Amino acid sequence: MTNHDAGLLSRFLRSPLTLCASLCFSLGGCSSVDPAGSEANPLASAPVAADQINWPRQYNPDDAAFFVHNQIFIAASPEVVWGVLMEADSWPSWYAGAEDVQVQSAADGRLYAHASFKWRTMGLRFTSVVKEFEPPYRLSWESRRSAIQGYHAWLLIPTEGGTRLVTDESQHGFLATMQRLFLRNKLYDLHETWLEAIKARAEER
């Protein structure tokens, strides 16, 4: 483990470094994956059902070092919910898990197809790139660092009276393994908070 990875782990997990390193390498799951959309890790191209995530091959949850699933019902249309989710630069004002969000080449701070955005979450700074953008039903982005790679997908499923909003995240890398072992509920709880905040904002509109 490099000094850089040790610093990341300290900020991300606040756990004893020696114990974490030995567990990581004894249990596996520390290797990285190829970028989503590359030849080795293609975006799924076969048709998928409206209530299924379109996972890149290497981010399939069955093979992930760490995976988390959340969903919520929102009494608003997918178009309204999508509008709330797109306002990335406003996330920090109503979601505690996001800080200093900067959407590149977007004067209005909104997400768009293939957008790149910088932000801080879970104690680390990431650059995330939008990989799937199908308004108002599908959104995904990939976040990559040397010690962790994550694919975060959203589904907005029309239902009677509103929208079922699903958010799933699949991760690989050293920090993903540490998260599974020591902070299993942290990301789930943050995403639950995010969904509840989106619900509140969408239902106000």
Side-chain angles (χ1 to χ4, degrees):
M1 181 175 63
T2 66
N3 290 336
H4 176 67
D5 284 345
L8 289 177
L9 181 59
S10 177
R11 295 196 300 274
F12 192 64
L13 299 178
R14 307 298 183 188
S15 300
L17 296 183
T18 302
L19 174 61
C20 288
S22 62
L23 281 171
C24 176
F25 289 104
S26 65
L27 295 177
C30 298
S31 61
S32 64
V33 301
D34 294 292
S38 66
E39 184 176 350
N41 190 17
L43 297 172
S45 57
V48 293
D51 60 349
Q52 294 178 344
I53 301 293
N54 203 16
W55 292 107
R57 179 187 301 160
Q58 294 178 7
Y59 282 107
N60 188 302
D62 292 339
D63 302 319
F66 184 69
F67 173 76
V68 62
H69 165 85
N70 300 72
Q71 64 177 302
I72 197 169
F73 171 77
I74 301 176
S77 70
E79 289 79 8
V80 171
V81 177
W82 180 269
V84 172
L85 187 56
M86 289 301 100
E87 297 168 355
D89 67 343
S90 76
W91 294 346
S93 68
W94 49 268
Y95 169 50
E99 299 177 70
D100 191 24
V101 180
Q102 301 173 27
V103 183
Q104 307 302 298
S105 303
D108 60 0
R110 294 174 61 87
L111 297 181
Y112 56 92
H114 310 297
S116 174
F117 59 100
K118 297 181 179 181
W119 62 319
R120 182 178 295 276
T121 185
M122 293 285 286
L124 298 178
R125 177 164 291 281
F126 288 96
T127 296
S128 301
V129 178
V130 172
K131 297 292 184 176
E132 188 174 35
F133 191 87
E134 297 182 10
Y137 304 116
R138 291 179 179 271
L139 172 70
S140 67
W141 61 71
E142 184 180 31
S143 307
R144 300 182 64 84
R145 294 192 62 138
S146 60
I148 188 169
Q149 304 86 46
Y151 195 84
H152 192 158
W154 300 79
L155 280 179
L156 291 77
I157 304 168
T159 66
E160 184 176 354
T163 303
R164 180 159 63 95
L165 179 59
V166 177
T167 187
D168 287 1
E169 185 161 346
S170 175
Q171 297 180 352
H172 287 277
F174 175 77
L175 293 183
T177 301
M178 295 302 96
Q179 184 176 199
R180 186 186 77 236
L181 294 172
F182 297 103
L183 291 175
R184 194 172 189 87
N185 294 326
K186 183 174 182 179
L187 188 61
Y188 174 87
D189 290 343
L190 276 177
H191 284 182
E192 199 72 8
T193 297
W194 203 349
L195 292 183
E196 290 170 355
I198 293 172
K199 174 182 173 70
R201 292 177 71 83
E203 290 181 350
E204 287 175 356
R205 298 188 176 184

